[in-house]
Amino acid sequence: MSEARTHDALLANYRRAPVAFVSGQGAVLTATDGKKYLDFLSGLATSSLGHGHPRLVQALQEQAARYIHVSNLYEIPEQSRAAELLVAASKRHGGPGLDRVFFCNSGAEANEAAIKLARKWGGAQDKSAIVSTVGGFHGRTMGALAATGTPQYQEAFKPLPGGFRSVPLNDIEAMKDTVDPATCAVLLEPIQGEAGVLPADPGYLAEVQALCRERGALFILDEVQTGIGRTGEAFAFQREGLEPDIVALAKGMGGGVPVGAMMAREEVAKHLVPGDHGSTFGGNALSAAAVVAVLETVIDDAFLERVRVAGERMRQRIDSFAQAAGVLETRGAGLMVGLEIRGEAAPVAALCLERGLLLNAVRAQSLRLLPPLVVTDEEIDAALDVLETALVEAAGEAP
Ligand code: PLP
């Protein structure tokens, strides 16, 4: 393992493995000691084009040389271009999609913007409650945290903003019992990422959407993790022909450059007017150039088809060793893959790290794989060889 620099000056809010990287190419990262790692985490679903992608690097270099930032008090053509591409991507397959984009810097900020828009939209009708799902994850800022239905993230930070309730995922009756006339929005992930890659049941999201329409609430999807190609579609909502009112994005959209976005349908978006919301850095020229490079690469039939094929290859291979390696369930879509295992996930992730594979133990018994969308078949096979061996060994060593 490479010798990492001391991080005594950093806040100790992360559990960091003692490894630091100096460079990367595609799905491969090189550590300070020269050891190579297969990056099947993509910086937690951010480095969608892998490392050192020529198109992204060139876009950033050219934009940085021209100018990096001017404020949102002026027109930013790169931001407008990024928004046009996002809107067009949302309308693929002929759905109504989304019409307007607000850029920010992270997933939490995208959800904060969604929450504020929903509250402003609902204000005139006395609707302010927001319903989310147990186990969902929407970010660590106070509003997004209030919508994050996981007590372990919330407990120490109470009081949280009021007006948030959460119901179990895939329980449509609980949703029906909770979405009332005072509800302005339902906010949920198509696939719960941080909960261990837990997909909504087929048809559940459509039922929630119909319920929202019936009761006069907005249907908001948090696609921070699932969006921009990760599931093999531009947006996960397109897998089921859904028509969300608002979508939150971040992570893979910038290919590793920090950027988030909140997209909304015109009739909803129009409720935010100058002075209501903003962000100093949101959608600055550098991050917008990254978004353009990512979208011009990912939003392409052949590219998205490849993501689906690569994901299928992963799932088939995992299924082939599942029984012998103690894998109870394989979940997810495209290149967002979760494994429920019989034993503890953390020792398996540690063994993989030792052997040059980055993935994460997202829950006590769940492993998550999020390779770059450009991952090759050879890299998938090599990574799953390591994972299979690690699973078998960890199962053998478990008490
Ligand atoms: N929403 C979802 C679905 C996420 O997975 C995450 C991060 O993991 C967030 C929101 C928060 O994003 P960020 O860490 O960029 O604030």
Side-chain angles (χ1 to χ4, degrees):
M1 207 145 296
S2 62
E3 198 183 311
R5 285 172 74 96
T6 169
H7 48 253
D8 285 352
L10 293 173
L11 198 89
N13 60 323
Y14 299 111
R15 230 171 269 114
R16 296 177 194 270
V19 54
F21 303 100
V22 287
S23 63
Q25 204 53 54
V28 177
L29 278 166
T30 304
T32 43
D33 62 358
K35 182 171 165 178
K36 307 262 188 222
Y37 291 79
L38 275 170
D39 181 4
F40 270 50
L41 201 50
S42 304
L44 287 174
T46 62
S47 312
S48 45
L49 302 185
H51 303 280
H53 191 282
R55 190 169 191 168
L56 179 57
V57 171
Q58 190 186 351
L60 288 169
Q61 283 174 337
E62 285 179 6
Q63 187 58 50
R66 275 202 298 277
Y67 78 111
I68 292 175
H69 180 93
V70 297
S71 94
N72 279 305
L73 296 175
Y74 307 100
E75 300 214 345
I76 303 172
E78 298 77 11
Q79 188 183 121
S80 302
R81 173 85 184 124
E84 281 164 14
L85 290 173
L86 279 172
V87 168
S90 78
K91 295 177 190 287
R92 279 165 65 87
H93 312 307
L98 292 312
D99 307 300
R100 298 275 179 171
V101 186
F102 164 75
F103 283 103
C104 51
N105 310 286
S106 69
E109 283 182 40
N111 283 312
E112 292 289 342
I115 291 165
K116 281 183 71 176
L117 173 55
R119 285 269 167 89
K120 181 101 193 284
W121 172 87
Q125 312 159 60
D126 262 350
K127 291 173 180 286
S128 62
I130 294 179
V131 180
S132 58
T133 52
V134 175
F137 187 87
H138 303 293
R140 311 270 191 169
T141 53
M142 294 305 259
L145 186 60
T148 288
T150 308
Q152 120 208 18
Y153 294 129
Q154 293 181 335
E155 216 43 57
F157 306 103
K158 289 184 171 172
L160 296 171
F164 291 83
R165 280 171 287 173
S166 56
V167 297
L169 178 71
N170 292 328
D171 183 344
I172 191 68
E173 293 308 318
M175 193 61 92
K176 284 182 184 164
D177 289 345
T178 310
V179 176
D180 61 15
T183 303
C184 68
V186 173
L187 163 62
L188 75 182
E189 299 157 83
I191 301 173
Q192 287 188 343
E194 299 307 299
V197 190
L198 297 180
D201 287 343
Y204 170 77
L205 293 170
E207 283 188 284
V208 175
Q209 176 180 290
L211 182 71
C212 287
R213 300 282 191 266
E214 183 193 307
R215 308 242 166 122
L218 297 176
F219 177 53
I220 308 180
L221 288 178
D222 177 346
E223 293 233 27
V224 166
Q225 199 160 145
T226 54
I228 315 303
R230 177 56 57 189
T231 68
E233 285 289 349
F235 296 82
F237 74 73
Q238 292 165 332
R239 300 178 66 235
E240 292 188 63
L242 298 167
E243 299 180 0
D245 299 298
I246 301 178
V247 167
L249 292 169
K251 289 195 182 278
M253 182 175 63
V257 173
V259 59
M262 186 267 295
M263 301 182 70
R265 294 170 73 162
E266 181 71 44
E267 339 53 289
V268 177
K270 70 178 184 207
H271 287 82
L272 284 187
V273 296
D276 277 345
H277 196 54
S279 163
T280 297
F281 284 121
N284 86 355
L286 192 71
S287 62
V291 174
V292 170
V294 169
L295 291 172
E296 285 180 345
T297 309
V298 170
I299 310 305
D300 168 83
D301 286 339
F303 189 99
L304 292 168
E305 169 67 10
R306 165 65 199 162
V307 172
R308 294 194 288 272
V309 168
E312 202 40 48
R313 185 184 187 91
M314 285 181 69
R315 266 179 289 279
Q316 275 177 12
R317 177 67 205 284
I318 293 166
D319 287 347
S320 76
F321 61 64
Q323 214 176 356
V327 177
L328 304 175
E329 192 179 36
T330 313
R331 299 185 287 254
L335 286 170
M336 181 171 181
V337 179
L339 275 69
E340 194 70 20
I341 63 171
R342 194 166 288 123
E344 289 291 306
V348 178
L351 270 177
C352 288
L353 178 68
E354 237 176 76
R355 289 157 196 191
L357 172 63
L358 307 182
L359 46 72
N360 97 315
V362 64
R363 281 284 186 264
Q365 288 178 265
S366 314
L367 291 162
R368 180 174 48 170
L369 294 104
L370 299 160
L373 306 182
V374 296
V375 69
T376 65
D377 285 348
E378 294 69 33
E379 288 161 343
I380 289 174
D381 295 347
L384 294 182
D385 281 348
V386 174
L387 177 60
E388 179 182 2
T389 313
L391 282 164
V392 171
E393 274 182 40
E397 281 164 19

